[in-house]
Amino acid sequence: MGNLDTNLDRLAALEGMGCSRKRREDPRFIQGKGTYVDDVKMPGMLFGVMVRSPYAHARVKRIDKSRALAHPGVHAVLTADDLKPLKLHWMPTLAGDVQAVLADTKVCFQNQEVAFVVADDRYVAADAAELVEVEYEELPAVIDPLAALAADAPVIREDIQDKQAGAHGARKHPNHIFTWQIGDRDKTDRVFDNAEVTVEQTMLYPRVHPCPLETCGCVASFDKARGDLTVYITSQAPHVVRTVVGLLSTIPESKIRIISPDIGGGFGNKVGVYPGYVTSIVASIVLGRPVKWIESRAENLSSTAFARDYHMTGELAADRDGHIKALRVQVTADHGAFDACADPTKWPAGMFHVCTGSYAIPNAFVSVDGVYTNKFPGGVAYRCSFRVTEAVYLIERMVDVLAQKLGIDKAEIRLRNFIRKEQFPYTTPLGLEYDSGDYEPALKKVLAAVDYPALRAEQAARRADPTAEWLMGIGVVNFTEIVGAGPSKMCDILGVGMFDSCEIRVHPDGSAVARMGTITQGQGHQTTYAQIIASEAGIPASVITVEEGDTSTAPYGLGTYGSRSTPVAGAAVARASRKIREKARHIAAHLLEASPGDVEFDLDRFVLKGSPGQFKTVKEVAWAAYNNVPEGMEMGLEAVDYYDPPNFTFPFGAYVCVLDVSRYTGETKVRRFYALDDCGTRINPMIIEGQIHGGLTEGFAVAMGQELPYDESGNLLGGTLLDYFVPTAVETPHWETDFTVTPSPHHPIGAKGVAESPHVGSIPCFTAAVVDAFAHLGVTHMNMPHNAYRVWQQCRALGLTRQ
Amino acid sequence: MTNRTVVSFKLNGKETDVIVEPRELLIHTLREKCLHTGPHIGCETSHCGACTVDFNGMSVKSCTLLTVQAEGAEVLTVEGLAQGGELHALQEGFMQEHGLQCGFCTPGMLMRAYRLLRENPSPSDEEIRYWMAGNLCRCTGYQNIVKAVQYAARKLRGEAVETSHPLMTADTH
């Protein structure tokens, strides 16, 4: 239709799917005009500071708040006694457990919340917090999760000591949270009993923290005259927060307005509800004034959702050619003192059962035991896609261990076991149905790009030289992600199905406002959602305003985490756009005095079939929608879609890391990191690449330096940026990225999620490369983090440090 | 009542007076009293650089400076970077090269890069990475930030740059 140049101009003007559209968020952020929670200032606003426990495990004998209350400028000091009458000294968690808001009879982790001081400003509040006197009686702490279920282990949770069953089944010990199992145990055991080759490997995925640059915080404002509550909050799921606040208070949801403004990164840290939010809301209700709470970095790193802490034992059964026959996994999951692990209700170990990976493994069995320890709660966070980080780490490490035992090349063994393209949709032995994939060409593309045979030859030469200071390691990882939770029959958050939503309203001038139930924390939704609408409804992205995060205006959604925005809300955006397009087509037919069947959509207009000169633009139709619609049709042009996905999406990737290790210092240098990601249809390649860079950098941090270790008394070590490794531009490697396109067949625009893929996939790739540097010396695994000291210890154990 | 002091300094070219306690940190004065909320707080150990402002011709982490030390100083924040309604080359560069995502580190990054390019107008990629190492970012992996600074360096040197953000219309060049 029309000449090609004109069509291309019109296409470019739409700025739709597939183009590297520059971000609409940027103008305010580069001028310091973003609005983050701590930028919010309200009349009469007070500031709250938390008093926290110095002990990991102790009885609270007495709290004396008199000196704090007498301090000028102090308005309130809340303790558990103040929350008890409201039944708010405990709060429910997403994992079906409860978490202490303010410690009642005992504290169960260091830095646990004990009292909340509200004062004129943050300086006065900090002074007064020092004046709260708490008397403790220290108790022995449980730090090692593998010892938590010993008969004589101290009981951490006296509040549920006698409960025989928790939210996820029977409990066999006071420190036992749940046992979750999936797969055919007997069949898997039989395959192992008769296998030609079996391998076993234990590994720890250490406790780390998402550490968003902006910490958690809120401004709670209860308006006594109107009887309504407004909360500005760092929340990745504001609608869920509204429902939870409604359930916990006597306020109907219609009188609760939760607003997630601009958020300075979330990374899974800002999914759940923290005690600071609850105490701010209570203090505001009590005092009738707005109360702001902004935590420090040390508080963030020591009391908000951690990630990982999975102690895993993997086993593979195979034939001598490396064809995998079965996978068996046992996990001990350290959940800290309260199970606040953010998961769909039915999945206490998240989507860990994606651990058969990219391979056609016919048999598998997985068992996960969750245990309590005297540490802060969390588990699911930091681009984990609900434990997929752990799952991918497990299988990719195990495949390497098997390859090493059999003497098969690590890329070759993957090629031998891949699920083949024609096997999709592929049902795994653990019950997941992978939507699409084409693994072999992806891996081959990466191997060619890095000249893998030449790298292996160089490595062989290096290994042959006994004087070489630098060992060389090559990591190869092929991962399959599972993102886009999820089908309501399988997935809910506290009983709410995990759909998501979009509402689009086209104005008379043809511009539009669109709102979704997700909430960006930097992933560029305000830019990319408009691109979907532009392509699907023919409205230029430049005149579409995208908003999220205000529960009084945006449609109900489950929020942004688990890379679910594109799979779920992105689908709702496409479907709402199509509803608008369809109504617009009928209006266009009416204007063209034609039958709707004779009118078709073309980029930004509706054309009479066979008469390209006769058309109505979307802009013209929008105007008509407000003054001249077909008889019987409602006026206006808007649509809503709540999308319950039929399945998850399963993006995949092939990563290669090449690094050098100094045998004398343990220092590692990443020489090259090549990442190919396939997330199906790509909405905005520029933004995807930014997500990849950020995720790979997190992966580098996790694998090479981050950890939150505890001493025997339960003191958290390294809980500030003095020790907690956040790489600067100097440490961060240069990233090479690539892609293939294998669309999701069930998704309206074929798009899969991607943002967590680089984190999920890169971490085992770094470990694979480090371990590979020692593989010729019989090393099968090394636990993270691979910092210089720990790698040097490995060198020393092998006698490599001797000159 | 705590001892309070009047402090006068020039903020983005404008004479500014504030009344502060001696212990008040410059970042809080800028954010709470001057309502310049562009500079952010990301830590309390002086590592992250989200609070970086230009202070008497130096890049300074304003969480690690007392406001009383700012008497008579010239302070430039991200809010003062655009001049005469025109964005600074660095602001353009960050948009063009996708050098920001959540935007929380961005004001500090911009102010640090502003001083960097005055001290070294033609930095190598390695020099940019090293000279920006006082600024942490959790979103970008730095790679596009390096590109953004190179974009600005080219533009400030008078070399041709490619712009495609609608805020960067042709007549601003």
PDB file of all heavy atoms in Angstrom, chain A residues 22-23 30 36 41 122-123 127 297-298 727 729 735, chain B residues 23 25 28 31-32 44 91 96 101-102 129 138 142-143:
ATOM      1  N   LYS A  22      14.489   5.806  22.255  1.00  0.00           N
ATOM      2  CA  LYS A  22      15.106   6.435  23.424  1.00  0.00           C
ATOM      3  C   LYS A  22      14.062   6.571  24.534  1.00  0.00           C
ATOM      4  O   LYS A  22      12.870   6.745  24.279  1.00  0.00           O
ATOM      5  CB  LYS A  22      15.669   7.809  23.057  1.00  0.00           C
ATOM      6  CG  LYS A  22      16.716   7.772  21.963  1.00  0.00           C
ATOM      7  CD  LYS A  22      17.937   6.969  22.360  1.00  0.00           C
ATOM      8  CE  LYS A  22      18.872   6.827  21.166  1.00  0.00           C
ATOM      9  NZ  LYS A  22      19.880   5.771  21.383  1.00  0.00           N
ATOM     10  N   ARG A  23      14.543   6.555  25.763  1.00  0.00           N
ATOM     11  CA  ARG A  23      13.623   6.428  26.890  1.00  0.00           C
ATOM     12  C   ARG A  23      12.924   7.734  27.268  1.00  0.00           C
ATOM     13  O   ARG A  23      13.539   8.795  27.303  1.00  0.00           O
ATOM     14  CB  ARG A  23      14.365   5.908  28.108  1.00  0.00           C
ATOM     15  CG  ARG A  23      14.952   4.534  27.922  1.00  0.00           C
ATOM     16  CD  ARG A  23      15.144   3.838  29.231  1.00  0.00           C
ATOM     17  NE  ARG A  23      15.500   4.766  30.286  1.00  0.00           N
ATOM     18  CZ  ARG A  23      15.355   4.480  31.576  1.00  0.00           C
ATOM     19  NH1 ARG A  23      14.875   3.319  31.940  1.00  0.00           N
ATOM     20  NH2 ARG A  23      15.700   5.357  32.493  1.00  0.00           N
ATOM     21  N   ILE A  30      17.690  12.869  34.241  1.00  0.00           N
ATOM     22  CA  ILE A  30      18.968  13.550  33.991  1.00  0.00           C
ATOM     23  C   ILE A  30      18.937  15.000  34.469  1.00  0.00           C
ATOM     24  O   ILE A  30      19.968  15.669  34.453  1.00  0.00           O
ATOM     25  CB  ILE A  30      19.344  13.525  32.490  1.00  0.00           C
ATOM     26  CG1 ILE A  30      18.210  14.086  31.656  1.00  0.00           C
ATOM     27  CG2 ILE A  30      19.762  12.144  32.031  1.00  0.00           C
ATOM     28  CD1 ILE A  30      18.668  14.903  30.512  1.00  0.00           C
ATOM     29  N   TYR A  36      11.405  10.242  43.862  1.00  0.00           N
ATOM     30  CA  TYR A  36      11.574   9.022  44.649  1.00  0.00           C
ATOM     31  C   TYR A  36      10.982   9.269  46.034  1.00  0.00           C
ATOM     32  O   TYR A  36      10.680  10.421  46.391  1.00  0.00           O
ATOM     33  CB  TYR A  36      13.065   8.675  44.743  1.00  0.00           C
ATOM     34  CG  TYR A  36      13.744   8.525  43.395  1.00  0.00           C
ATOM     35  CD1 TYR A  36      14.289   9.629  42.744  1.00  0.00           C
ATOM     36  CD2 TYR A  36      13.829   7.286  42.765  1.00  0.00           C
ATOM     37  CE1 TYR A  36      14.905   9.502  41.502  1.00  0.00           C
ATOM     38  CE2 TYR A  36      14.450   7.151  41.532  1.00  0.00           C
ATOM     39  CZ  TYR A  36      14.985   8.268  40.891  1.00  0.00           C
ATOM     40  OH  TYR A  36      15.599   8.136  39.665  1.00  0.00           O
ATOM     41  N   LYS A  41       7.661  15.327  50.329  1.00  0.00           N
ATOM     42  CA  LYS A  41       7.587  16.185  51.511  1.00  0.00           C
ATOM     43  C   LYS A  41       6.128  16.550  51.710  1.00  0.00           C
ATOM     44  O   LYS A  41       5.484  17.038  50.792  1.00  0.00           O
ATOM     45  CB  LYS A  41       8.426  17.445  51.263  1.00  0.00           C
ATOM     46  CG  LYS A  41       9.116  17.936  52.505  1.00  0.00           C
ATOM     47  CD  LYS A  41      10.141  18.999  52.213  1.00  0.00           C
ATOM     48  CE  LYS A  41      10.796  19.377  53.531  1.00  0.00           C
ATOM     49  NZ  LYS A  41      11.885  20.270  53.440  1.00  0.00           N
ATOM     50  N   ARG A 122      15.008  13.452  60.866  1.00  0.00           N
ATOM     51  CA  ARG A 122      15.815  12.238  60.976  1.00  0.00           C
ATOM     52  C   ARG A 122      16.974  12.400  61.951  1.00  0.00           C
ATOM     53  O   ARG A 122      17.451  11.422  62.495  1.00  0.00           O
ATOM     54  CB  ARG A 122      16.270  11.762  59.594  1.00  0.00           C
ATOM     55  CG  ARG A 122      17.254  12.666  58.888  1.00  0.00           C
ATOM     56  CD  ARG A 122      17.499  12.177  57.459  1.00  0.00           C
ATOM     57  NE  ARG A 122      16.425  12.621  56.567  1.00  0.00           N
ATOM     58  CZ  ARG A 122      16.079  11.985  55.445  1.00  0.00           C
ATOM     59  NH1 ARG A 122      16.679  10.891  55.078  1.00  0.00           N
ATOM     60  NH2 ARG A 122      15.115  12.477  54.686  1.00  0.00           N
ATOM     61  N   TYR A 123      17.393  13.626  62.174  1.00  0.00           N
ATOM     62  CA  TYR A 123      18.480  13.831  63.129  1.00  0.00           C
ATOM     63  C   TYR A 123      17.987  13.610  64.558  1.00  0.00           C
ATOM     64  O   TYR A 123      18.628  12.928  65.357  1.00  0.00           O
ATOM     65  CB  TYR A 123      19.059  15.244  62.966  1.00  0.00           C
ATOM     66  CG  TYR A 123      19.971  15.382  61.741  1.00  0.00           C
ATOM     67  CD1 TYR A 123      19.457  15.387  60.446  1.00  0.00           C
ATOM     68  CD2 TYR A 123      21.342  15.498  61.899  1.00  0.00           C
ATOM     69  CE1 TYR A 123      20.271  15.503  59.345  1.00  0.00           C
ATOM     70  CE2 TYR A 123      22.186  15.621  60.797  1.00  0.00           C
ATOM     71  CZ  TYR A 123      21.641  15.630  59.511  1.00  0.00           C
ATOM     72  OH  TYR A 123      22.468  15.743  58.427  1.00  0.00           O
ATOM     73  N   ASP A 127      18.896  10.557  67.296  1.00  0.00           N
ATOM     74  CA  ASP A 127      19.317  10.825  68.674  1.00  0.00           C
ATOM     75  C   ASP A 127      18.448  10.046  69.658  1.00  0.00           C
ATOM     76  O   ASP A 127      18.949   9.388  70.574  1.00  0.00           O
ATOM     77  CB  ASP A 127      19.176  12.327  69.003  1.00  0.00           C
ATOM     78  CG  ASP A 127      20.231  13.171  68.301  1.00  0.00           C
ATOM     79  OD1 ASP A 127      21.248  12.603  67.855  1.00  0.00           O
ATOM     80  OD2 ASP A 127      20.020  14.398  68.203  1.00  0.00           O
ATOM     81  N   ARG A 297      21.733   2.108  54.432  1.00  0.00           N
ATOM     82  CA  ARG A 297      22.293   0.980  53.672  1.00  0.00           C
ATOM     83  C   ARG A 297      22.543  -0.217  54.584  1.00  0.00           C
ATOM     84  O   ARG A 297      22.225  -1.350  54.218  1.00  0.00           O
ATOM     85  CB  ARG A 297      23.608   1.422  52.992  1.00  0.00           C
ATOM     86  CG  ARG A 297      24.407   0.311  52.355  1.00  0.00           C
ATOM     87  CD  ARG A 297      23.658  -0.401  51.257  1.00  0.00           C
ATOM     88  NE  ARG A 297      23.139   0.553  50.296  1.00  0.00           N
ATOM     89  CZ  ARG A 297      22.059   0.351  49.541  1.00  0.00           C
ATOM     90  NH1 ARG A 297      21.394  -0.776  49.609  1.00  0.00           N
ATOM     91  NH2 ARG A 297      21.635   1.283  48.718  1.00  0.00           N
ATOM     92  N   ALA A 298      23.106   0.027  55.769  1.00  0.00           N
ATOM     93  CA  ALA A 298      23.394  -1.094  56.670  1.00  0.00           C
ATOM     94  C   ALA A 298      22.091  -1.797  57.074  1.00  0.00           C
ATOM     95  O   ALA A 298      22.051  -3.033  57.163  1.00  0.00           O
ATOM     96  CB  ALA A 298      24.131  -0.593  57.912  1.00  0.00           C
ATOM     97  N   PRO A 727      30.612  -3.858  42.433  1.00  0.00           N
ATOM     98  CA  PRO A 727      31.689  -3.452  41.531  1.00  0.00           C
ATOM     99  C   PRO A 727      31.522  -2.023  41.017  1.00  0.00           C
ATOM    100  O   PRO A 727      30.408  -1.547  40.817  1.00  0.00           O
ATOM    101  CB  PRO A 727      31.619  -4.464  40.382  1.00  0.00           C
ATOM    102  CG  PRO A 727      30.333  -5.174  40.528  1.00  0.00           C
ATOM    103  CD  PRO A 727      29.832  -4.984  41.920  1.00  0.00           C
ATOM    104  N   ALA A 729      33.005   0.783  37.919  1.00  0.00           N
ATOM    105  CA  ALA A 729      33.274   0.668  36.483  1.00  0.00           C
ATOM    106  C   ALA A 729      34.630   0.015  36.228  1.00  0.00           C
ATOM    107  O   ALA A 729      34.827  -0.622  35.196  1.00  0.00           O
ATOM    108  CB  ALA A 729      33.225   2.053  35.834  1.00  0.00           C
ATOM    109  N   TRP A 735      31.210  -6.151  28.291  1.00  0.00           N
ATOM    110  CA  TRP A 735      30.271  -7.223  27.910  1.00  0.00           C
ATOM    111  C   TRP A 735      30.065  -7.259  26.411  1.00  0.00           C
ATOM    112  O   TRP A 735      29.920  -6.215  25.775  1.00  0.00           O
ATOM    113  CB  TRP A 735      28.923  -7.014  28.601  1.00  0.00           C
ATOM    114  CG  TRP A 735      29.015  -6.805  30.079  1.00  0.00           C
ATOM    115  CD1 TRP A 735      28.701  -5.677  30.779  1.00  0.00           C
ATOM    116  CD2 TRP A 735      29.455  -7.757  31.066  1.00  0.00           C
ATOM    117  NE1 TRP A 735      28.917  -5.867  32.123  1.00  0.00           N
ATOM    118  CE2 TRP A 735      29.387  -7.129  32.329  1.00  0.00           C
ATOM    119  CE3 TRP A 735      29.907  -9.081  30.994  1.00  0.00           C
ATOM    120  CZ2 TRP A 735      29.753  -7.777  33.517  1.00  0.00           C
ATOM    121  CZ3 TRP A 735      30.268  -9.715  32.179  1.00  0.00           C
ATOM    122  CH2 TRP A 735      30.188  -9.074  33.412  1.00  0.00           C
TER     123      TRP A 735
ATOM    124  N   ARG B  23      26.204  19.817  62.770  1.00  0.00           N
ATOM    125  CA  ARG B  23      26.344  18.416  62.350  1.00  0.00           C
ATOM    126  C   ARG B  23      25.608  18.101  61.049  1.00  0.00           C
ATOM    127  O   ARG B  23      25.683  16.983  60.548  1.00  0.00           O
ATOM    128  CB  ARG B  23      25.833  17.493  63.450  1.00  0.00           C
ATOM    129  CG  ARG B  23      24.330  17.640  63.713  1.00  0.00           C
ATOM    130  CD  ARG B  23      23.866  16.590  64.686  1.00  0.00           C
ATOM    131  NE  ARG B  23      22.470  16.747  65.064  1.00  0.00           N
ATOM    132  CZ  ARG B  23      21.811  15.853  65.774  1.00  0.00           C
ATOM    133  NH1 ARG B  23      22.411  14.761  66.184  1.00  0.00           N
ATOM    134  NH2 ARG B  23      20.550  16.074  66.087  1.00  0.00           N
ATOM    135  N   LEU B  25      24.618  17.378  57.428  1.00  0.00           N
ATOM    136  CA  LEU B  25      25.383  17.018  56.239  1.00  0.00           C
ATOM    137  C   LEU B  25      24.886  17.828  55.042  1.00  0.00           C
ATOM    138  O   LEU B  25      23.690  18.101  54.916  1.00  0.00           O
ATOM    139  CB  LEU B  25      25.239  15.520  55.954  1.00  0.00           C
ATOM    140  CG  LEU B  25      25.727  14.597  57.082  1.00  0.00           C
ATOM    141  CD1 LEU B  25      25.357  13.146  56.777  1.00  0.00           C
ATOM    142  CD2 LEU B  25      27.234  14.733  57.271  1.00  0.00           C
ATOM    143  N   HIS B  28      21.851  16.573  53.118  1.00  0.00           N
ATOM    144  CA  HIS B  28      20.526  16.823  53.707  1.00  0.00           C
ATOM    145  C   HIS B  28      20.108  18.286  53.535  1.00  0.00           C
ATOM    146  O   HIS B  28      18.937  18.574  53.295  1.00  0.00           O
ATOM    147  CB  HIS B  28      20.531  16.427  55.185  1.00  0.00           C
ATOM    148  CG  HIS B  28      20.539  14.955  55.402  1.00  0.00           C
ATOM    149  ND1 HIS B  28      21.374  14.317  56.289  1.00  0.00           N
ATOM    150  CD2 HIS B  28      19.819  13.963  54.811  1.00  0.00           C
ATOM    151  CE1 HIS B  28      21.162  13.018  56.264  1.00  0.00           C
ATOM    152  NE2 HIS B  28      20.226  12.771  55.358  1.00  0.00           N
ATOM    153  N   ARG B  31      18.936  18.640  49.963  1.00  0.00           N
ATOM    154  CA  ARG B  31      17.684  17.946  49.680  1.00  0.00           C
ATOM    155  C   ARG B  31      16.514  18.499  50.503  1.00  0.00           C
ATOM    156  O   ARG B  31      15.416  18.692  49.982  1.00  0.00           O
ATOM    157  CB  ARG B  31      17.833  16.438  49.949  1.00  0.00           C
ATOM    158  CG  ARG B  31      18.747  15.727  48.946  1.00  0.00           C
ATOM    159  CD  ARG B  31      18.868  14.236  49.270  1.00  0.00           C
ATOM    160  NE  ARG B  31      17.562  13.665  49.523  1.00  0.00           N
ATOM    161  CZ  ARG B  31      16.723  13.245  48.578  1.00  0.00           C
ATOM    162  NH1 ARG B  31      17.088  13.313  47.309  1.00  0.00           N
ATOM    163  NH2 ARG B  31      15.548  12.762  48.891  1.00  0.00           N
ATOM    164  N   GLU B  32      16.752  18.730  51.795  1.00  0.00           N
ATOM    165  CA  GLU B  32      15.642  19.069  52.687  1.00  0.00           C
ATOM    166  C   GLU B  32      15.382  20.577  52.731  1.00  0.00           C
ATOM    167  O   GLU B  32      14.237  20.999  52.807  1.00  0.00           O
ATOM    168  CB  GLU B  32      15.950  18.589  54.112  1.00  0.00           C
ATOM    169  CG  GLU B  32      16.363  17.118  54.215  1.00  0.00           C
ATOM    170  CD  GLU B  32      15.177  16.172  54.255  1.00  0.00           C
ATOM    171  OE1 GLU B  32      14.101  16.588  54.698  1.00  0.00           O
ATOM    172  OE2 GLU B  32      15.340  15.011  53.818  1.00  0.00           O
ATOM    173  N   GLU B  44      25.966   4.984  53.725  1.00  0.00           N
ATOM    174  CA  GLU B  44      26.436   5.861  54.788  1.00  0.00           C
ATOM    175  C   GLU B  44      27.923   5.614  55.055  1.00  0.00           C
ATOM    176  O   GLU B  44      28.414   5.900  56.123  1.00  0.00           O
ATOM    177  CB  GLU B  44      25.600   5.678  56.061  1.00  0.00           C
ATOM    178  CG  GLU B  44      25.599   4.278  56.638  1.00  0.00           C
ATOM    179  CD  GLU B  44      24.563   3.373  56.003  1.00  0.00           C
ATOM    180  OE1 GLU B  44      23.747   3.861  55.191  1.00  0.00           O
ATOM    181  OE2 GLU B  44      24.571   2.165  56.295  1.00  0.00           O
ATOM    182  N   GLN B  91      24.157  15.330  29.781  1.00  0.00           N
ATOM    183  CA  GLN B  91      22.751  14.917  29.911  1.00  0.00           C
ATOM    184  C   GLN B  91      22.254  14.302  28.607  1.00  0.00           C
ATOM    185  O   GLN B  91      21.586  13.276  28.596  1.00  0.00           O
ATOM    186  CB  GLN B  91      21.895  16.125  30.315  1.00  0.00           C
ATOM    187  CG  GLN B  91      22.217  16.626  31.723  1.00  0.00           C
ATOM    188  CD  GLN B  91      21.504  17.919  32.061  1.00  0.00           C
ATOM    189  OE1 GLN B  91      21.580  18.893  31.312  1.00  0.00           O
ATOM    190  NE2 GLN B  91      20.830  17.941  33.203  1.00  0.00           N
ATOM    191  N   GLN B  96      21.191   9.543  25.026  1.00  0.00           N
ATOM    192  CA  GLN B  96      21.470   8.966  23.716  1.00  0.00           C
ATOM    193  C   GLN B  96      22.048   7.555  23.834  1.00  0.00           C
ATOM    194  O   GLN B  96      21.702   6.660  23.071  1.00  0.00           O
ATOM    195  CB  GLN B  96      22.454   9.862  22.948  1.00  0.00           C
ATOM    196  CG  GLN B  96      22.855   9.337  21.581  1.00  0.00           C
ATOM    197  CD  GLN B  96      21.686   9.319  20.607  1.00  0.00           C
ATOM    198  OE1 GLN B  96      20.749  10.095  20.738  1.00  0.00           O
ATOM    199  NE2 GLN B  96      21.738   8.412  19.640  1.00  0.00           N
ATOM    200  N   GLN B 101      19.064   3.835  33.965  1.00  0.00           N
ATOM    201  CA  GLN B 101      17.838   3.038  33.994  1.00  0.00           C
ATOM    202  C   GLN B 101      16.927   3.560  35.105  1.00  0.00           C
ATOM    203  O   GLN B 101      15.998   4.307  34.853  1.00  0.00           O
ATOM    204  CB  GLN B 101      18.175   1.551  34.130  1.00  0.00           C
ATOM    205  CG  GLN B 101      18.852   1.006  32.848  1.00  0.00           C
ATOM    206  CD  GLN B 101      19.266  -0.439  32.937  1.00  0.00           C
ATOM    207  OE1 GLN B 101      18.680  -1.228  33.655  1.00  0.00           O
ATOM    208  NE2 GLN B 101      20.291  -0.817  32.184  1.00  0.00           N
ATOM    209  N   CYS B 102      17.222   3.206  36.363  1.00  0.00           N
ATOM    210  CA  CYS B 102      16.346   3.704  37.435  1.00  0.00           C
ATOM    211  C   CYS B 102      16.579   5.186  37.700  1.00  0.00           C
ATOM    212  O   CYS B 102      15.735   5.854  38.277  1.00  0.00           O
ATOM    213  CB  CYS B 102      16.523   2.897  38.718  1.00  0.00           C
ATOM    214  SG  CYS B 102      17.950   3.351  39.730  1.00  0.00           S
ATOM    215  N   ARG B 129      36.505   4.865  33.213  1.00  0.00           N
ATOM    216  CA  ARG B 129      36.146   3.862  34.222  1.00  0.00           C
ATOM    217  C   ARG B 129      36.856   4.150  35.545  1.00  0.00           C
ATOM    218  O   ARG B 129      36.270   4.059  36.617  1.00  0.00           O
ATOM    219  CB  ARG B 129      36.492   2.447  33.717  1.00  0.00           C
ATOM    220  CG  ARG B 129      35.485   1.924  32.697  1.00  0.00           C
ATOM    221  CD  ARG B 129      35.838   0.533  32.191  1.00  0.00           C
ATOM    222  NE  ARG B 129      34.877   0.058  31.211  1.00  0.00           N
ATOM    223  CZ  ARG B 129      33.845  -0.760  31.509  1.00  0.00           C
ATOM    224  NH1 ARG B 129      33.679  -1.192  32.741  1.00  0.00           N
ATOM    225  NH2 ARG B 129      33.012  -1.132  30.569  1.00  0.00           N
ATOM    226  N   ARG B 138      23.780   0.297  39.973  1.00  0.00           N
ATOM    227  CA  ARG B 138      23.295  -1.078  40.090  1.00  0.00           C
ATOM    228  C   ARG B 138      22.595  -1.545  38.819  1.00  0.00           C
ATOM    229  O   ARG B 138      22.302  -2.736  38.695  1.00  0.00           O
ATOM    230  CB  ARG B 138      22.334  -1.190  41.284  1.00  0.00           C
ATOM    231  CG  ARG B 138      22.971  -0.938  42.628  1.00  0.00           C
ATOM    232  CD  ARG B 138      24.062  -1.943  42.960  1.00  0.00           C
ATOM    233  NE  ARG B 138      23.518  -3.226  43.366  1.00  0.00           N
ATOM    234  CZ  ARG B 138      24.060  -4.402  43.045  1.00  0.00           C
ATOM    235  NH1 ARG B 138      25.118  -4.466  42.279  1.00  0.00           N
ATOM    236  NH2 ARG B 138      23.528  -5.527  43.475  1.00  0.00           N
ATOM    237  N   TYR B 142      27.649  -0.139  33.737  1.00  0.00           N
ATOM    238  CA  TYR B 142      28.627   0.915  33.409  1.00  0.00           C
ATOM    239  C   TYR B 142      28.942   1.102  31.930  1.00  0.00           C
ATOM    240  O   TYR B 142      29.396   2.172  31.509  1.00  0.00           O
ATOM    241  CB  TYR B 142      29.947   0.707  34.180  1.00  0.00           C
ATOM    242  CG  TYR B 142      29.765   0.662  35.677  1.00  0.00           C
ATOM    243  CD1 TYR B 142      29.819  -0.545  36.369  1.00  0.00           C
ATOM    244  CD2 TYR B 142      29.501   1.819  36.402  1.00  0.00           C
ATOM    245  CE1 TYR B 142      29.639  -0.592  37.747  1.00  0.00           C
ATOM    246  CE2 TYR B 142      29.324   1.788  37.786  1.00  0.00           C
ATOM    247  CZ  TYR B 142      29.393   0.570  38.450  1.00  0.00           C
ATOM    248  OH  TYR B 142      29.212   0.525  39.806  1.00  0.00           O
ATOM    249  N   GLN B 143      28.760   0.062  31.146  1.00  0.00           N
ATOM    250  CA  GLN B 143      29.241   0.115  29.762  1.00  0.00           C
ATOM    251  C   GLN B 143      28.650   1.292  28.997  1.00  0.00           C
ATOM    252  O   GLN B 143      29.363   2.014  28.298  1.00  0.00           O
ATOM    253  CB  GLN B 143      28.891  -1.209  29.067  1.00  0.00           C
ATOM    254  CG  GLN B 143      29.712  -1.477  27.838  1.00  0.00           C
ATOM    255  CD  GLN B 143      29.836  -2.978  27.605  1.00  0.00           C
ATOM    256  OE1 GLN B 143      30.155  -3.739  28.517  1.00  0.00           O
ATOM    257  NE2 GLN B 143      29.575  -3.412  26.392  1.00  0.00           N
TER     258      GLN B 143
END
